[in-house]
C-alpha cells in the first residue's frame, strides 16, 4: 500500500514527489512513468529557458510561480552543481507599431516584480550586435539550463527520500476501493491512498480514468525549431525574443542559446495530429478525431485563423520561417539554419473555446489532477510541486514536517 502515487515522470511529477518526501518523510511514495526515461516528452523537448515571469497576468499562478520558480531553480542548480547560466534576455520591437505593446510588457514586468530595463536600439546592439530593432527591454533574471539534468536530480532525491520510481509503467485503469484507489497498469497493479495526476499530454484522460472531469481537453501543439549552424552561432549572444501578440498564446519565433552552446530558432506553433507527434507525418486516429470533433477547437481556430495560417505556412516553408527570423536578425540566411528537434505543448482548451491561460489544478476524491501546466512549468516546477502538496488534505496517518525544508 502506497500513501501517494504520482502518474507522470516529467518535471512536475518528479518535483511533486520531491515535495511530498519533504512534507511526509515517512510516507510511501510511488512515481509511475509510461516511457523508458524520465522527462521524455514536454520537459525533455523544451527550450531550456529559466523564465522570469514577465509575460504573465499579475496575480496569476503563472506569474507568482514563475517569478519564485526562477529564483528557486537557480538555487537548486547551485546547490546540486547543475550547469546553468543567468544570461538575461532582450525583448525587442522591430516595428514602430509594436512599441506600445513593448511598453505594456515592461509595465507588466514591474507589476510582477521582475527586474527589467528599457533599452534603446543602440543599447540592444551592445548586448546583441546583430539585432535590428526600434526599441527593447532587458530582462535580467532569465537564464538557461538543461531540464533533463534537473529531472534526473529530482528523481535521485526522491529515491534518497525512500520513494519508489517505476519506468515503463502505463496506467490503464483507476479503480476505487473504499478509501483507496488501485492503479492498474501494463506492469502490475498498485494500491494507494492518494493519486496525483501529472500526466501532461494525457492529463485530461487520466483525470477521467479517476472519474474527474477537468472541463477542458488537451489540444497538442507542435513547436518546430531550426538550429543555427556552428559557424553562425556568433550571431546570437544570449536570448532574443520578439514582442508577443497578447491575443495569441505563444511567444513568437525567437532565438535561444542553449546551455550546450548551440542556438535554436523558433518555435512556430501548429496543431499536432498526435499527442506525442514530434514529426509532421505523425498521426493518431484517436487523437485526431478527438480534436476534430471538439466544438471548442473550431471556436479557437476561427478566432485565431490568421495567425494559425501563418504558423502552418512557416511549418511547410523554410523560406517563410527564415523571414520571421530575419525580422530580428536580418543577416540570417536559409543556409544558416538546419532543422532540429520539435516539442509538443499540452495546451488545455475549455469547452467554451477559450485557452486555459493559467495552471489548472483540479481536486478529486483522494486525488489532485494537474490538467494544464505548459511553459513556464519547468521553471516553476519546484513551486508547483510545493503548491500541489499544500492542496492535499492533511494525511492523519502520517506525521508531517512542520515546514518544507530547502531542497
Amino acid at each position: 500500500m502506497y500513501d501517494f502515487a504520482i502518474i507522470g515522470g516529467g518535471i512536475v511529477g518528479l518535483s511533486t514527489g520531491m515535495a511530498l518526501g519533504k512534507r511526509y518523510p515517512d510516507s510511501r511514495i510511488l512515481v509511475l512513468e509510461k516511457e523508458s526515461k524520465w522527462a521524455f516528452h514536454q520537459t525533455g523537448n523544451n527550450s531550456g529557458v529559466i523564465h522570469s515571469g514577465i509575460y504573465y497576468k499579475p496575480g496569476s499562478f503563472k506569474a507568482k510561480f514563475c517569478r519564485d520558480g526562477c529564483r528557486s531553480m537557480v538555487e537548486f542548480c547551485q546547490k546540486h552543481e547543475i550547469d546553468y547560466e543567468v544570461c538575461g534576455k532582450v525583448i525587442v520591437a522591430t516595428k514602430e507599431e509594436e512599441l506600445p505593446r513593448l511598453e505594456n510588457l515592461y509595465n507588466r514586468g514591474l507589476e510582477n516584480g521582475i527586474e527589467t530595463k528599457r533599452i534603446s536600439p543602440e543599447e540592444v546592439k551592445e548586448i546583441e550586435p546583430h539585432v535590428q530593432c526600434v526599441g527593447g527591454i532587458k530582462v535580467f533574471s532569465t537564464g538557461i539550463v538543461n531540464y533533463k539534468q534537473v529531472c534526473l536530480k529530482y528523481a535521485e532525491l526522491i529515491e534518497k527520500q525512500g520513494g519508489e520510481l517505476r519506468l515503463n509503467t502505463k496506467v490503464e485503469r483507476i479503480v476505487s476501493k473504499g478509501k483507496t484507489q488501485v492503479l492498474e497498469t501494463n506492469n502490475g497493479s498498485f494500491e494507494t491512498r492518494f493519486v496525483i495526476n501529472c500526466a501532461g499530454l494525457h492529463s485530461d484522460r487520466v483525470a477521467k480514468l479517476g472519474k474527474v472531469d477537468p472541463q477542458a481537453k488537451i489540444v497538442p501543439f507542435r513547436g518546430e525549431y531550426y538550429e543555427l549552424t556552428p559557424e553562425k552561432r556568433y550571431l546570437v549572444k544570449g536570448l532574443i525574443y520578439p514582442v508577443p501578440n497578447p491575443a495569441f498564446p505563444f511567444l513568437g519565433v525567437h532565438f535561444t542559446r542553449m546551455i550546450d552552446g548551440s542556438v535554436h530558432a523558433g518555435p512556430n506553433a501548429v496543431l499536432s495530429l498526435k499527442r506525442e507527434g514530434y514529426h509532421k507525418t505523425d498521426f493518431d486516429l484517436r487523437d485526431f478525431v478527438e480534436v476534430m470533433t471538439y466544438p471548442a477547437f473550431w471556436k479557437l481556430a476561427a478566432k485565431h485563423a490568421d495567425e494559425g495560417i501563418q504558423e502552418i505556412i512557416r511549418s511547410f516553408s523554410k523560406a517563410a520561417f527564415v523571414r520571421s527570423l530575419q525580422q530580428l536578425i536580418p543577416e540570417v540566411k536559409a543556409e544558416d539554419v538546419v532543422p532540429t528537434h520539435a516539442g509538443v505543448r499540452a495546451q488545455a482548451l475549455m469547452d467554451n473555446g477559450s485557452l486555459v491561460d493559467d495552471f489548472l489544478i483540479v481536486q478529486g476524491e483522494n486525488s489532485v489532477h494537474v490538467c494544464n501546466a505548459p511553459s513556464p512549468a519547468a521553471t516553476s516546477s519546484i513551486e508547483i510541486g510545493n503548491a500541489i502538496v499544500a492542496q492535499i488534505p492533511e494525511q492523519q496517518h502520517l506525521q508531517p514536517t512542520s515546514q518544507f525544508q530547502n531542497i
Side-chain angles (χ1 to χ4, degrees), residues 247-404:
F248 201 51
F250 306 103
L251 297 180
V253 171
H254 50 269
F255 290 94
T256 306
R257 179 170 290 279
M258 311 291 278
I259 198 67
D260 64 3
S262 62
V263 177
H264 286 196
N268 66 338
V270 293
L271 177 69
S272 175
L273 304 183
K274 181 180 178 181
R275 291 203 181 193
E276 296 166 1
Y278 298 100
H279 303 95
K280 291 182 178 70
T281 56
D282 287 346
F283 177 83
D284 181 271
L285 183 60
R286 177 190 179 189
D287 295 347
F288 175 75
V289 169
E290 273 195 12
V291 172
M292 292 298 108
T293 57
Y294 187 36
F297 169 73
W298 294 106
K299 294 177 184 177
L300 177 72
K303 182 179 179 181
H304 296 292
D306 291 343
E307 296 96 337
I309 290 169
Q310 292 303 313
E311 297 289 340
I312 293 170
I313 291 171
R314 272 195 289 265
S315 177
F316 287 94
S317 169
K318 182 178 182 180
F321 203 110
V322 170
R323 283 196 295 272
S324 296
L325 300 176
Q326 289 171 336
Q327 292 180 23
L328 296 171
I329 300 180
E331 294 171 58
V332 172
K333 297 180 175 63
E335 58 267 27
D336 299 336
V337 295
V338 294
T340 187
H341 71 85
V344 178
R345 171 177 173 148
Q347 176 63 57
L349 178 61
M350 297 176 68
D351 293 344
N352 64 7
S354 62
L355 292 166
V356 179
D357 191 43
D358 208 352
F359 298 129
L360 177 62
I361 302 174
V362 181
Q363 294 275 357
E365 185 176 359
N366 296 323
S367 63
V368 170
H369 302 265
V370 182
C371 293
N372 194 61
S375 179
T379 300
S380 311
S381 56
I382 292 173
E383 307 305 320
I384 295 173
N386 288 339
I388 291 169
V389 172
Q391 289 191 24
I392 294 173
E394 200 68 44
Q395 303 295 297
Q396 300 300 325
H397 66 289
L398 296 174
Q399 182 63 43
T401 55
S402 58
Q403 60 183 8
F404 289 149

Side-chain angles (χ1 to χ4, degrees), residues 69-281:
C70 180
R71 181 171 54 251
S72 58
M73 181 58 65
V74 167
E75 291 172 354
F76 183 88
C77 292
Q78 290 172 338
K79 180 172 182 178
H80 297 286
E81 299 182 340
I82 295 170
D83 291 340
Y84 78 98
E85 180 184 350
V86 179
C87 54
K89 76 174 175 183
V90 293
I91 304 172
V92 299
T94 59
K95 303 171 185 174
E96 292 288 338
E97 56 263 34
E98 293 176 345
L99 288 173
R101 297 211 313 258
L102 185 69
E103 181 67 14
N104 290 340
L105 193 59
Y106 170 76
N107 290 328
R108 173 165 283 193
L110 296 181
E111 286 185 75
N112 285 336
I114 311 301
E115 185 184 2
T116 59
K117 178 186 177 183
R118 296 188 189 91
I119 50 178
S120 67
E122 294 74 26
E123 289 172 312
V124 170
K125 281 194 172 293
E126 291 176 8
I127 302 168
E128 294 288 353
H130 302 277
V131 168
Q132 187 71 40
C133 70
V134 296
I137 55 179
K138 174 72 182 284
V139 185
F140 292 89
S141 57
T142 306
I144 51 176
V145 72
N146 183 332
Y147 283 117
K148 287 184 181 179
Q149 291 182 4
V150 172
C151 281
L152 291 176
K153 180 56 67 172
Y154 285 1
E156 178 186 321
L157 292 172
I158 292 170
E159 286 193 307
K160 284 184 178 178
Q161 293 166 344
E164 185 176 334
L165 305 175
R166 286 180 178 258
L167 294 166
N168 301 304
T169 306
K170 179 181 179 180
V171 175
E172 297 172 338
R173 290 184 67 206
I174 300 177
V175 180
S176 294
K177 184 181 175 184
K179 293 186 177 181
T180 67
Q181 299 178 73
V182 177
L183 306 183
E184 297 182 357
T185 80
N186 63 325
N187 200 12
S189 296
F190 305 90
E191 189 171 357
T192 181
R193 291 186 171 91
F194 203 92
V195 172
I196 302 162
N197 166 18
C198 300
L201 285 158
H202 301 280
S203 57
D204 57 337
R205 292 173 176 171
V206 170
K208 289 180 179 179
L209 289 179
K211 305 296 188 293
V212 172
D213 183 2
Q215 297 185 323
K217 186 183 292 293
I218 294 296
V219 176
F221 287 92
R222 186 173 59 254
E224 297 162 335
Y225 287 87
Y226 282 84
E227 180 179 354
L228 285 180
T229 58
E231 59 271 18
K232 292 294 182 176
R233 290 176 182 171
Y234 71 89
L235 292 172
V236 177
K237 304 297 182 186
L239 307 177
I240 306 165
Y241 282 66
V243 181
N245 180 348
F248 201 51
F250 306 103
L251 297 180
V253 171
H254 50 269
F255 290 94
T256 306
R257 179 170 290 279
M258 311 291 278
I259 198 67
D260 64 3
S262 62
V263 177
H264 286 196
N268 66 338
V270 293
L271 177 69
S272 175
L273 304 183
K274 181 180 178 181
R275 291 203 181 193
E276 296 166 1
Y278 298 100
H279 303 95
K280 291 182 178 70
T281 56

Side-chain angles (χ1 to χ4, degrees), residues 20-55:
L20 279 170
K22 288 188 299 170
R23 178 63 170 160
Y24 297 106
D26 299 325
S27 63
R28 291 199 65 200
I29 298 169
L30 173 68
V31 183
L32 302 176
E33 167 55 47
K34 70 183 180 66
E35 305 292 354
S36 60
K37 298 177 182 177
W38 306 112
F40 194 87
H41 289 294
Q42 288 187 101
T43 307
N45 293 286
N46 69 20
S47 61
V49 175
I50 304 174
H51 289 284
S52 65
I54 190 172
Y55 297 107

